[in-house]
Amino acid sequence: QILAVDSESGVVTILANPQVIKEKSGSVEEDTSSGPQTGHAVLGEGCAQVMGVSKRGLFSGGQSGGLWCFDLANNLNVLDSWKNDSSIASLVLSPSCNRLALGTSNGEVHVMDSTHLKTTSCAAKHGYSPIMGIDVLTPGTNHCVTCRAEGFIQVWEMERGNHISTLQLPYKCSSLVCPSSSSTAVVGTTKGSLCIVSLVDPSQPKLVLTRRMHSSAITYLRCDQYGRFMASLSHTGSVMVYKASPSTKCAVLGHTEILGDLLELSILATGQGDEDDTMFSVLSQHGSKTVITVFHIPNKSSEQVVSELCEGGTSRLSAVFTSKREFTLAEPVHGFSLLSTTHMVAMVTSTKMLAKFILPTAVVAQQKELAPHSVHSSHELAGGLTKLSLNQKLLGSIAPDGKLIMRLADNLERPLLLNCHHHSRGGCDGLAFSSDSYRVFTTGDNGTLSCWEWELTAHGNIKATQAAEFNAKHIQRLESTQTAENVALASMSPLPLQGLHAEQEEDTKQWLQHIVEETHRAEDEKYSEAKGKLRQELSSLREKAVAMIAANELLPSIEQLERKEFILDTEEHKRLQADEDAYIQKIREEIELSNLTKMYLRDKIKRECWDSMKVKGKVVKAFQSKLEVRNYALIHRREAFLNELERIKAHRKIEIAEQEVRKLASKPDPGPAVEDRGGTGEEEAEGKEQGDPDALRGSHGSRYGGECDLLRDQFELYSPVSKMQQTCLLQDCIYHIKETFNKEFDDVSKAKEAEIARIIEKNARIRKIGKDLKLSESIIEPTLDPAEQPESFLTVQDSEIKAEKYITPEEQKRLQEAALAEEKKRLAEIGDNPRERALEMMMYGRLEANAEEELFKDLARPDFMLKDPAEMTEDEIRMAKEFEKKEAAFLEEREKLKKALEAEFKKLQSSIVQSMEQFDERLHKLFELKIRTETAVLQEELKILRLALALMVEEEVAMKEEVLNQELEKKKSAKAETSSAVSSAKRHVEEYREVYDRTQAEDREMDKSFKKDFSDCEPFLEPLYKLYRKRPRGQRLKPAPSEGGFLQEAISQNSSGERPPSALLGGGGGGPRSFDDPMAELDDLSNMPEGLSLSAWERFVSARRRKVESEQKVKATALKLAEMTAFLKKRQAEDESVQSMIQDTFRQLNKLQEDKMVFDLNLEIQFLLKQGQIEVDPGEFVPDFSDSVLIHRSAVEELNSQIKSIGEAKLSIMTEAKDFKKGIYSLKWELKKLLMLEEDLIEKAKDIQMLKVTKELQHRLMDLDHSQEKDQKDIAALESALELVEKTHHNNVLEKKRILSKYQSQVEGMEEENKNKEKELLELWLQVQERKGIDKLAGLPAAEVNREKRMNEIVTRRKMVDLVKSQAQEVTVLRTEVERLRRRTFPALVQID
């Protein structure tokens, strides 16, 4: 249907209806033949999937490939049309509606003028079919390649995602691989061909080679990471192995045959050297077994290796030379990849888990089934594939659930999950890594290509650097090979695509067939002489046998031999016959097994989907319309649910009884006040009765059989137990609502069956009357539809079987004997049955006479009436008159009967139509009841969903609270550890501070005692003190070896992170120290003052050394003290950090508990409100009730009554004021009128007084006659002048009108042009305003004062809109899930033609 919706009034108008079009196709054809073609004649299925509205009209198109422009103002007439070969997928109009862009299903974009659809141009052409393969071009490039099912090979830039080029092959593609040794893309087709596309210049791809390798589609193409070997696989056939170098034209190394259906393929190169090899593995399904076949091919490509690779000069790979092995897996798998020569990963089909297998290295005689070594969580849906990155470090997996899971190849326990594509559109089906593993490419959604880049952390940067280094080495390793292969590709001439067709691909011989023919040709040449002799002998024997058969045909029949006696090789004949019998028996067993399987499935489906149903799904259809009503299919409720329901009901009854007892116990003693309050209670009860009782219940379920007194009030659902009990009771209410409706439905269904039975009886009478009256009118014969008799789906009628029934010869013989016996019995009964023979002879086979049939028979005229009346006798004349009278009476009686039958015929027809109309009315009422019942069911289900959501939220809050409590306990234990560490560090610092103070005091004491110690050298005291204070330059303290080793050992053993005690850091007294040679320079005798004794100098040197050692000890102690203080501060900071984390956890826990309390107390109540009771302005999607208030309707009604009374009072006051002002204005006007009359009369009196009497005036007054003649002449002259003036004026008016009409036409044209300009101006203004709004939202000036406030408002509104969208989507999803679960409870039985 095409609907027109008025956005202001909300009125919906049906412009086109396919049902009406189909029913009125004849009238539409008549209309189109007599007038312009309308949309009702051209619109059909798939014609209105994309639409656009412009100034010209409505544009519509769809799967039919046609585009039409309809006139909305004139009965949807077709203004213009355009036809395309492929379907139209999208339609977009320009802002000015002057141009139109179309997107087609084959990837074309057409641009056309909206005023003339014939003028079109193809703006772009890209493939829009599903992507069958994706791979990254040779390492060192920045391109990836995709192939689509329709043959489009597309090259993309990885960094920006730009489309570089497209090459359309004339074949349908099925797989793709890009060898890393050359700039090529190898494509597999659905007919089994390999196409090599040169991508030396990515902007100009070219097809350089095609070879047909398989008889069916190439489903998998794989290449090793060094681009040395390539392999192809088809589901039924063999595995082909090639050289991956285009310079050898992908020479075939050989093939190997594997039993079963070939599923997947994986290749792994163990190294690049000639001493290494490449491992090939194939996954196949052989019966119920899943088999992994593994074989190896050496990298060395010498002639000896190539000759030993295949068996006996054939193309079949040697199982011994390639070390071919087979492993049977314990369960079916898919999406496997080789991690190494001994490890493999695959996704288990049954459990959908990722399993890791270990492949045995040695061949075991009785090998067991391989079981998974380890199992890891994986995708939610079965299917998909796995793939390793180029550096063999990353493992990616995809599946139809649309998720990409990344893992480290050596650590599968930590997956990284990413939602790439939607599961409803097929999920992911392709995966590829860039050469540096920085980008990941996925395909899915029926043709979508996505590129994902890593957001690297510090650890990720290390991994990315390692991958980049591996990529650089890999590029350097393949540089020479790539250069040589690209030179060879550049020299190859491209194949002409115009001469290639998909049909020619089937005619091309397969490579294996060509090899077999060559082998046969070589054998024929080698054994040609022997074969020639054998052919001659066979031909002579054949001639003799034919001659003998011909001679046998000429003999008499008694002398002829049977044909089987001429068989020369009886053993071969018996063998062929036995093979045929065995084949027939095998086919028979397969058919019987298939039938047995189908019977088992039938019984299982019937048992689970039919026998388990308490009420089967059924439909009742109307007689004269397409209205149909379905009942509710109900399944038998589980015993556990019924027991739980009974327990909840008993519990609720006890609660209700307890509440009543408590009310009675807490009720005050009756007194006089009770009587006074009685009226108030009655008024409240009456007020409650006046309101809608279902408003607070939130549903109309009680009106349709869902009444339950045990349900709690919505305002009492605080605890989770009450919510779960309420959910169970609501489910019971829904069940009773459906049962109540099903009772009404059954009554209507029985009524229809009874009505059909009555119509059948009436139709029998109508047929009898029609046969008697020879009427050919159609008869209404209603029947029950198969959907109205679901039991009929379980019974197969003979008419439904189109195939001819096969009858065995034995059964055919038995049926013929039974038919002969039945015929003999019937003939015997007919031959000797006097009763039937007498009935047939005397009463024409009837016991009762039919008056109607007798009346419609003609009377037999006597033979004498054929004579001439003149020849008749008197008796004959008398008898003739009597016959005529009898005939006239008979005809009159016949005419009366005919009229009576006609009246009865019409009455029966009208009664049938009337009864059908009455039933349709009853069915329409049932349909309305179904709508109301469905509304009540949905209301109850909505309450269940709200309760389930509340329980989920409570469970989530409880889980969060548990997690926070666990974190709090962990942080408390960490706080205890940090507190003990801080106290221990403080103790050590205080102890060492005392050591430092003591060392510093000793050093100062040595300085003070210098003069006392050298008091005997008084004349040299000053120079000695200077030398005492002098220190050598570049002095370095060097700890003793033994002490340093102990220190490092003590620090390394302190694994707890605490500061080691000061005893381990050097101890209080310090240890022995050693100095460099500069100290010996100061001790030299050349520095000794003159006149000082040698003993005094030695004593001075000793004292100075002790002083220097004391100073070094003070410095070392200060450094250690500073280090210990820093360590203490670090521990204190850690302690404060843990304390702040504990406080944050406490705040989160308190906030969570507050939210939980608010959620428990702030219940979500479901109300039933009428449209007029909602005063909230609707938003974009649903009304926003966040800042709304629910008030009683009496408050609104009271306020409205007050407003009305005040308004009426104001109107009355305004009316009185208006009338009073009206009288004032009337008096003012009267006064003004009288004053003006007074002034006028005064002026007239003045004029009369001031009038001067001239001679002319005197003459006129004296001679009145003469003056009258003169006046007449003057009047005549004035009249003639007036006529002339009027004529001139008339001509001038006509001229002005002509000019005015001219100007008016110009004005109308300019006004029309101004209107168009105003519309364009309005559209441009709207675009400018939208752009201004976008610019304002994109970036606000820094100097704006309220920028932060506005940004917060925008963010808040955006969050609210997103929240509303998500909630609306969740409600839709939940409703869909409820409908799906509801429909699962009854079978969907579809009639199979």
Side-chain angles (χ1 to χ4, degrees):
Q1 293 181 350
I2 298 179
L3 308 177
V5 182
D6 190 347
S7 59
E8 295 181 356
S9 61
V11 177
V12 180
T13 305
I14 300 178
L15 300 180
N17 191 347
Q19 299 295 336
V20 177
I21 294 169
K22 187 175 180 181
E23 294 174 358
K24 299 183 179 180
S25 58
S27 61
V28 170
E29 292 177 359
E30 295 175 1
D31 295 342
T32 54
S33 62
S34 60
Q37 193 177 19
T38 63
H40 305 285
V42 299
L43 281 176
E45 185 176 359
C47 295
Q49 293 179 328
V50 294
M51 291 187 293
V53 180
S54 70
K55 302 174 184 178
R56 190 183 182 195
L58 172 67
F59 294 93
S60 176
Q63 290 183 352
S64 61
L67 177 67
W68 292 275
C69 178
F70 302 113
D71 189 359
L72 294 174
N74 191 10
N75 195 24
L76 219 64
N77 288 340
V78 178
L79 301 176
D80 202 351
S81 63
W82 177 75
K83 186 67 176 176
N84 189 39
D85 296 335
S86 56
S87 61
I88 299 174
S90 58
L91 183 150
V92 178
L93 286 162
S94 63
S96 59
C97 299
N98 294 328
R99 298 185 68 78
L100 181 70
L102 295 177
T104 62
S105 59
N106 61 355
E108 296 180 354
V109 178
H110 295 271
V111 179
M112 60 186 68
D113 190 354
S114 61
T115 58
H116 189 62
L117 298 182
K118 305 299 181 183
T119 58
T120 178
S121 61
C122 184
K125 185 176 182 180
H126 300 292
Y128 192 67
S129 55
I131 296 177
M132 305 305 295
I134 178 174
D135 205 347
V136 178
L137 208 54
T138 175
T141 60
N142 188 28
H143 301 90
C144 68
V145 186
T146 60
C147 75
R148 296 184 181 270
E150 296 298 329
F152 288 93
I153 309 300
Q154 298 174 323
V155 184
W156 308 85
E157 185 181 0
M158 288 195 292
E159 290 185 359
R160 301 180 181 177
N162 296 332
H163 175 256
I164 304 300
S165 60
T166 298
L167 176 67
Q168 185 176 6
L169 300 178
Y171 313 122
K172 292 185 177 181
C173 302
S174 58
S175 55
L176 169 76
V177 71
C178 294
S180 58
S181 59
S182 60
S183 298
T184 56
V186 183
V187 182
T189 67
T190 56
K191 300 299 181 182
S193 297
L194 282 182
C195 301
I196 301 178
V197 180
S198 173
L199 295 173
V200 177
D201 184 3
S203 61
Q204 295 180 354
K206 58 181 181 180
L207 178 65
V208 296
L209 182 65
T210 59
R211 299 180 68 182
R212 187 163 187 213
M213 308 307 300
H214 295 269
S215 59
S216 59
I218 299 177
T219 54
Y220 275 88
L221 271 174
R222 292 292 182 267
C223 185
D224 65 299
Q225 61 266 34
Y226 298 106
R228 186 183 294 272
F229 298 111
M230 183 174 63
S232 63
L233 174 147
S234 62
H235 285 305
T236 56
S238 57
V239 179
M240 298 281 185
V241 182
Y242 322 85
K243 289 184 178 180
S245 55
S247 58
T248 62
K249 295 185 178 180
C250 294
V252 182
L253 295 177
H255 76 283
T256 181
E257 296 177 352
I258 299 174
L259 297 177
D261 295 335
L262 307 186
L263 304 178
E264 297 180 19
L265 172 67
S266 181
I267 303 177
L268 179 67
T270 59
Q272 195 182 9
D274 291 341
E275 66 278 1
D276 299 319
D277 59 5
T278 302
M279 182 177 179
F280 296 78
S281 59
V282 182
L283 177 66
S284 61
Q285 187 72 30
H286 184 51
S288 60
K289 296 181 179 179
T290 302
V291 182
I292 293 289
T293 305
V294 178
F295 59 91
H296 299 260
I297 294 180
N299 293 345
K300 190 175 182 180
S301 58
S302 61
E303 295 181 358
Q304 181 181 0
V305 173
V306 174
S307 62
E308 294 178 358
L309 192 61
C310 297
E311 298 176 352
T314 63
S315 62
R316 185 179 291 106
L317 295 175
S318 173
V320 177
F321 187 79
T322 59
S323 303
K324 185 175 180 181
R325 294 174 295 164
E326 291 184 353
F327 306 102
T328 303
L329 301 182
E331 47 190 338
V333 299
H334 61 273
F336 83 107
S337 293
L338 290 173
L339 298 180
S340 64
T341 56
T342 58
H343 291 82
M344 178 192 79
V345 293
M347 289 187 282
V348 182
T349 304
S350 58
T351 61
K352 301 184 282 296
M353 303 289 285
L354 181 69
K356 186 175 182 180
F357 297 87
I358 298 179
L359 302 177
T361 55
V363 180
V364 184
Q366 293 181 353
Q367 185 178 349
K368 298 181 180 179
E369 293 183 346
L370 284 182
H373 179 261
S374 60
V375 179
H376 313 277
S377 61
S378 185
H379 297 273
E380 298 176 2
L381 297 179
L385 56 91
T386 60
K387 191 167 186 179
L388 276 172
S389 61
L390 185 63
N391 61 354
Q392 309 293 308
K393 298 297 183 182
L394 289 176
L395 177 67
S397 63
I398 58 173
D401 60 359
K403 296 177 181 178
L404 167 65
I405 299 179
M406 302 294 296
R407 311 169 191 262
L408 292 175
D410 54 356
N411 185 11
L412 303 178
E413 293 292 340
R414 300 179 61 186
L416 175 64
L417 188 142
L418 181 66
N419 289 317
C420 297
H421 305 275
H422 202 274
H423 65 90
S424 63
R425 295 187 289 272
C428 299
D429 53 19
L431 175 64
F433 289 90
S434 61
S435 57
D436 58 356
S437 303
Y438 181 66
R439 295 181 178 87
V440 183
F441 300 91
T442 59
T443 61
D445 290 345
N446 197 19
T448 303
L449 172 63
S450 303
C451 177
W452 309 90
E453 295 182 353
W454 288 99
E455 291 184 358
L456 300 176
T457 60
H459 183 68
N461 283 320
I462 298 174
K463 296 289 185 181
T465 305
Q466 295 175 357
E469 293 175 355
F470 176 85
N471 184 36
K473 293 179 182 179
H474 192 71
I475 293 172
Q476 185 179 3
R477 198 181 296 120
L478 297 175
E479 184 177 1
S480 59
T481 307
Q482 291 177 0
T483 304
E485 295 297 336
N486 290 340
V487 170
L489 280 172
S491 62
M492 299 173 71
S493 59
L495 297 178
L497 298 177
Q498 290 78 10
L500 299 176
H501 300 285
E503 291 79 7
Q504 296 178 357
E505 190 178 9
E506 298 181 1
D507 300 334
T508 307
K509 286 185 179 179
Q510 186 187 352
W511 175 83
L512 193 58
Q513 295 176 353
H514 181 72
I515 295 298
V516 171
E517 290 178 0
E518 291 292 333
T519 305
H520 289 171
R521 190 179 295 109
E523 290 180 354
D524 291 341
E525 292 177 358
K526 184 176 181 180
Y527 304 103
S528 59
E529 295 181 1
K531 288 184 177 181
K533 293 179 180 180
L534 290 174
R535 289 193 188 98
Q536 290 177 2
E537 293 177 0
L538 289 174
S539 62
S540 63
L541 288 174
R542 183 177 181 279
E543 290 175 358
K544 290 181 181 179
V546 170
M548 293 172 65
I549 292 172
N552 184 60
E553 295 291 338
L554 299 176
L555 295 175
S557 59
I558 195 171
E559 297 180 4
Q560 289 182 357
L561 299 176
E562 295 182 1
R563 186 64 179 266
K564 64 181 180 180
E565 297 181 8
F566 289 94
I567 297 175
L568 301 180
D569 194 350
T570 56
E571 294 181 358
E572 180 68 16
H573 180 264
K574 291 179 180 179
R575 187 186 66 80
L576 293 175
Q577 192 169 5
D579 291 345
E580 290 179 358
D581 294 340
Y583 179 73
I584 292 172
Q585 183 64 24
K586 179 182 177 182
I587 295 297
R588 182 176 287 108
E589 290 177 356
E590 290 178 355
I591 293 173
E592 290 178 356
L593 183 61
S594 176
N595 292 337
L596 186 62
T597 304
K598 293 176 181 178
M599 292 170 64
Y600 171 73
L601 292 176
R602 180 204 64 187
D603 295 339
K604 185 175 181 180
I605 293 172
K606 183 176 180 294
R607 183 174 62 256
E608 294 181 359
C609 301
W610 182 261
D611 297 338
S612 62
M613 300 298 294
K614 180 180 179 181
V615 178
K616 277 74 174 178
K618 195 175 180 181
V619 176
V620 174
K621 296 185 177 182
F623 286 117
Q624 297 179 338
S625 65
K626 296 183 178 181
L627 177 65
E628 61 179 31
V629 181
R630 295 181 178 272
N631 68 338
Y632 289 103
L634 299 178
I635 193 171
H636 288 285
R637 292 191 283 185
R638 298 190 306 272
E639 189 68 25
F641 176 80
L642 294 176
N643 295 335
E644 180 68 16
L645 182 63
E646 292 298 327
R647 187 188 66 80
I648 292 173
K649 287 183 177 180
H651 185 267
R652 282 293 297 149
K653 289 177 181 178
I654 294 172
E655 283 185 355
I656 294 172
E658 182 184 2
Q659 290 176 0
E660 291 179 354
V661 170
R662 288 187 177 182
K663 287 181 181 178
L664 292 175
S666 61
K667 189 176 181 181
D669 295 333
V674 175
E675 297 178 358
D676 297 336
R677 290 195 301 265
T680 307
E682 292 177 358
E683 291 176 0
E684 291 179 356
E686 291 176 0
K688 290 183 180 180
E689 291 177 358
Q690 290 176 359
D692 189 1
D694 296 333
L696 295 179
R697 295 175 185 171
S699 67
H700 294 303
S702 58
R703 301 182 182 179
Y704 305 103
E707 179 67 30
C708 183
D709 298 334
L710 303 178
L711 286 173
R712 284 185 172 88
D713 197 329
Q714 293 188 85
F715 294 95
E716 299 176 358
L717 300 174
Y718 292 106
S719 64
V721 176
S722 62
K723 292 176 182 178
M724 288 188 286
Q725 291 180 354
Q726 186 82 347
T727 301
C728 189
L729 293 174
L730 287 174
Q731 292 175 353
D732 185 58
C733 291
I734 292 174
Y735 197 85
H736 289 314
I737 291 172
K738 293 180 179 180
E739 283 185 336
T740 304
F741 175 79
N742 286 343
K743 292 178 181 178
E744 297 290 335
F745 181 88
D746 293 339
D747 294 342
V748 175
S749 178
K750 293 177 181 178
K752 183 175 182 179
E753 294 176 359
E755 192 64 38
I756 290 175
R758 287 192 291 270
I759 291 174
I760 291 173
E761 294 177 358
K762 294 178 181 179
N763 283 338
R765 178 58 180 167
I766 288 174
R767 287 192 186 91
K768 179 66 174 57
I769 295 174
K771 182 180 179 181
D772 294 340
L773 299 179
K774 297 180 181 181
L775 299 176
S776 60
E777 295 186 10
S778 60
I779 299 175
I780 302 173
E781 296 182 356
T783 57
L784 290 175
D785 195 80
E788 297 177 294
Q789 294 176 315
E791 297 82 4
S792 62
F793 288 109
L794 303 177
T795 305
V796 180
Q797 304 294 335
D798 293 339
S799 60
E800 298 179 14
I801 302 175
K802 304 300 180 183
E804 185 179 356
K805 185 178 180 180
Y806 174 74
I807 302 175
T808 60
E810 295 81 4
E811 189 176 359
Q812 181 71 26
K813 184 177 179 181
R814 184 180 59 79
L815 292 175
Q816 290 178 356
E817 292 176 354
L820 288 174
E822 186 69 22
E823 183 67 18
K824 288 181 180 179
K825 182 179 179 181
R826 188 183 66 83
L827 292 175
E829 290 178 354
I830 292 175
D832 191 11
N833 195 342
R835 182 177 181 278
E836 292 184 0
R837 188 168 63 252
L839 183 64
E840 184 69 26
M841 292 176 62
M842 293 186 296
M843 304 185 66
Y844 303 99
R846 291 187 179 181
L847 293 175
E848 297 179 358
N850 192 342
E852 296 176 358
E853 292 183 359
E854 295 295 331
L855 286 175
F856 282 101
K857 291 180 181 180
D858 294 332
L859 295 176
R861 301 176 69 87
D863 294 336
F864 64 84
M865 293 189 68
L866 300 175
K867 300 179 183 178
D868 189 33
E871 298 177 357
M872 292 182 183
T873 61
E874 292 181 358
D875 293 337
E876 290 178 347
I877 293 172
R878 180 178 55 78
M879 294 173 63
K881 289 181 179 179
E882 291 178 356
F883 179 79
E884 288 176 355
K885 291 180 181 180
K886 184 179 180 182
E887 186 178 20
F890 181 79
L891 293 176
E892 184 179 358
E893 188 68 23
R894 178 190 290 180
E895 191 66 24
K896 290 181 181 179
L897 180 61
K898 184 177 181 181
K899 291 181 179 179
L901 291 176
E902 288 179 352
E904 185 182 359
F905 185 87
K906 292 179 181 180
K907 183 178 179 181
L908 289 174
Q909 283 185 333
S910 61
S911 65
I912 290 174
V913 173
Q914 186 178 2
S915 61
M916 292 169 67
E917 290 177 352
Q918 291 176 356
F919 177 80
D920 288 352
E921 291 178 0
R922 184 177 179 182
L923 185 64
H924 189 272
K925 294 180 180 178
L926 181 66
F927 178 70
E928 293 177 353
L929 178 62
K930 175 65 179 296
I931 293 175
R932 295 192 296 270
T933 305
E934 188 70 20
T935 303
V937 170
L938 292 177
Q939 289 169 354
E940 301 291 352
E941 289 177 351
L942 182 58
K943 288 197 285 188
I944 293 175
L945 290 176
R946 293 181 189 275
L947 294 174
L949 180 61
L951 291 172
M952 288 174 60
V953 172
E954 290 180 0
E955 184 178 357
E956 183 180 358
V957 170
M959 292 175 63
K960 288 183 179 179
E961 187 176 3
E962 184 179 357
V963 171
L964 288 176
N965 287 326
Q966 293 176 357
E967 291 181 0
L968 186 59
E969 292 298 328
K970 292 180 181 178
K971 290 173 183 176
K972 285 183 178 179
S973 61
K975 179 67 171 63
E977 294 178 359
T978 55
S979 298
S980 63
V982 168
S983 61
S984 177
K986 281 184 179 180
R987 186 177 65 255
H988 291 313
V989 168
E990 294 297 332
E991 291 176 356
Y992 202 77
R993 192 180 299 277
E994 295 177 358
V995 174
Y996 172 72
D997 293 339
R998 187 168 57 251
T999 306
Q1000 194 175 17
E1002 291 176 356
D1003 182 70
R1004 284 197 295 268
E1005 186 63 30
M1006 290 177 66
D1007 198 5
K1008 293 178 181 179
S1009 63
F1010 176 76
K1011 293 182 180 181
K1012 295 179 182 180
D1013 294 340
F1014 292 93
S1015 58
D1016 56 344
C1017 302
E1018 186 66 29
F1020 304 99
L1021 191 60
E1022 190 66 27
L1024 285 177
Y1025 188 74
K1026 289 181 179 180
L1027 290 174
Y1028 185 77
R1029 301 295 298 175
K1030 188 176 181 180
R1031 298 291 181 267
R1033 294 183 180 180
Q1035 178 183 329
R1036 292 292 182 269
L1037 179 64
K1038 186 166 65 179
S1042 61
E1043 188 70 12
F1046 177 73
L1047 177 64
Q1048 296 298 328
E1049 183 180 359
I1051 294 174
S1052 63
Q1053 289 178 358
N1054 187 18
S1055 59
S1056 62
E1058 296 183 357
R1059 177 71 182 175
S1062 58
L1064 299 179
L1065 292 172
R1073 298 288 185 267
S1074 62
F1075 300 93
D1076 294 329
D1077 292 338
M1079 202 64 194
E1081 183 180 353
L1082 292 176
D1083 295 343
D1084 193 72
L1085 294 176
S1086 60
N1087 295 324
M1088 183 178 65
E1090 295 180 2
L1092 186 66
S1093 63
L1094 183 61
S1095 61
W1097 176 254
E1098 290 176 354
R1099 187 161 50 90
F1100 169 77
V1101 169
S1102 177
R1104 185 170 62 182
R1105 282 183 175 272
R1106 288 195 303 272
K1107 174 62 176 175
V1108 171
E1109 289 179 358
S1110 178
E1111 289 177 354
Q1112 293 297 330
K1113 184 179 179 181
V1114 170
K1115 289 181 180 179
T1117 308
L1119 288 174
K1120 293 171 186 175
L1121 180 61
E1123 184 180 354
M1124 294 177 70
T1125 305
F1127 182 81
L1128 174 61
K1129 290 182 179 179
K1130 182 180 179 181
R1131 285 289 175 262
Q1132 288 176 346
E1134 291 178 356
D1135 185 65
E1136 292 176 357
S1137 175
V1138 173
Q1139 181 64 29
S1140 63
M1141 293 170 64
I1142 291 174
Q1143 292 177 357
D1144 291 341
T1145 306
F1146 267 119
R1147 283 195 294 270
Q1148 293 179 10
L1149 193 58
N1150 294 333
K1151 179 69 167 54
L1152 185 63
Q1153 290 175 353
E1154 291 176 0
D1155 294 342
K1156 180 181 179 182
M1157 184 178 297
V1158 171
F1159 180 78
D1160 291 339
L1161 298 178
N1162 189 13
L1163 299 177
E1164 186 175 358
I1165 308 301
Q1166 180 174 319
F1167 292 112
L1168 291 180
L1169 299 178
K1170 297 180 180 179
Q1171 187 174 4
Q1173 295 176 335
I1174 302 175
E1175 299 291 342
V1176 179
D1177 187 17
E1180 296 181 359
F1181 301 100
V1182 293
D1184 184 11
F1185 297 101
S1186 59
D1187 56 349
S1188 304
V1189 178
L1190 184 67
I1191 59 176
H1192 197 273
R1193 61 182 297 175
S1194 60
V1196 178
E1197 293 175 354
E1198 183 179 356
L1199 181 61
N1200 289 337
S1201 62
Q1202 292 178 3
I1203 293 172
K1204 287 181 181 179
S1205 60
I1206 294 172
E1208 291 174 355
K1210 183 178 179 181
L1211 285 175
S1212 62
I1213 293 171
M1214 291 175 67
T1215 304
E1216 292 177 0
K1218 183 195 68 164
D1219 295 338
F1220 186 74
K1221 288 183 179 180
K1222 184 178 179 181
I1224 294 174
Y1225 292 149
S1226 177
L1227 294 175
K1228 286 183 179 180
W1229 181 83
E1230 188 69 27
L1231 177 61
K1232 188 175 180 181
K1233 176 184 176 183
L1234 294 176
L1235 291 174
M1236 292 175 67
L1237 286 175
E1238 182 182 4
E1239 291 178 358
D1240 190 25
L1241 292 175
I1242 291 172
E1243 290 294 331
K1244 285 183 179 180
K1246 288 181 179 179
D1247 291 339
I1248 293 171
Q1249 290 177 358
M1250 299 299 294
L1251 182 62
K1252 295 181 179 181
V1253 181
T1254 60
K1255 291 182 179 182
E1256 185 179 359
L1257 181 58
Q1258 292 177 359
H1259 182 69
R1260 281 184 174 275
L1261 292 174
M1262 294 297 295
D1263 192 0
L1264 295 176
D1265 295 335
H1266 180 71
S1267 60
Q1268 289 179 357
E1269 292 177 359
K1270 187 178 181 181
D1271 291 340
Q1272 289 177 359
K1273 290 179 181 180
D1274 293 340
I1275 290 170
L1278 291 174
E1279 288 178 354
S1280 61
L1282 181 61
E1283 290 178 359
L1284 180 62
V1285 171
E1286 288 180 351
K1287 186 175 182 182
T1288 305
H1289 175 69
H1290 180 67
N1291 293 333
N1292 292 335
V1293 168
L1294 292 178
E1295 182 67 20
K1296 297 296 182 183
K1297 286 183 178 180
R1298 185 180 62 78
I1299 296 172
L1300 180 62
S1301 62
K1302 178 181 178 182
Y1303 286 161
Q1304 285 179 350
S1305 62
Q1306 293 178 359
V1307 168
E1308 290 176 356
M1310 295 178 73
E1311 286 179 351
E1312 186 68 24
E1313 185 177 357
N1314 288 336
K1315 289 180 180 178
N1316 296 333
K1317 294 295 183 181
E1318 287 177 356
K1319 291 180 180 178
E1320 294 180 1
L1321 179 61
L1322 179 60
E1323 293 176 357
L1324 294 174
W1325 182 80
L1326 290 174
Q1327 295 177 7
V1328 170
Q1329 294 300 321
E1330 291 177 358
R1331 179 55 59 186
K1332 284 182 179 180
I1334 293 171
D1335 292 340
K1336 289 180 181 179
L1337 293 176
L1340 296 175
E1344 192 171 357
V1345 180
N1346 296 327
R1347 62 184 184 277
E1348 186 175 0
K1349 181 179 178 181
R1350 293 179 62 186
M1351 179 57 71
N1352 292 333
E1353 292 176 353
I1354 292 170
V1355 171
T1356 303
R1357 185 180 180 278
R1358 180 73 264 169
K1359 289 181 179 178
M1360 294 302 295
V1361 171
D1362 293 342
L1363 179 61
V1364 171
K1365 288 181 180 178
S1366 63
Q1367 289 180 352
Q1369 187 176 4
E1370 289 176 0
V1371 171
T1372 305
V1373 171
L1374 291 174
R1375 184 172 295 170
T1376 307
E1377 184 67 15
V1378 168
E1379 181 65 18
R1380 185 181 69 81
L1381 294 174
R1382 185 179 69 80
R1383 290 183 177 276
R1384 283 180 58 187
T1385 58
F1386 62 94
L1389 302 176
V1390 181
Q1391 184 180 4
I1392 301 175
D1393 295 332

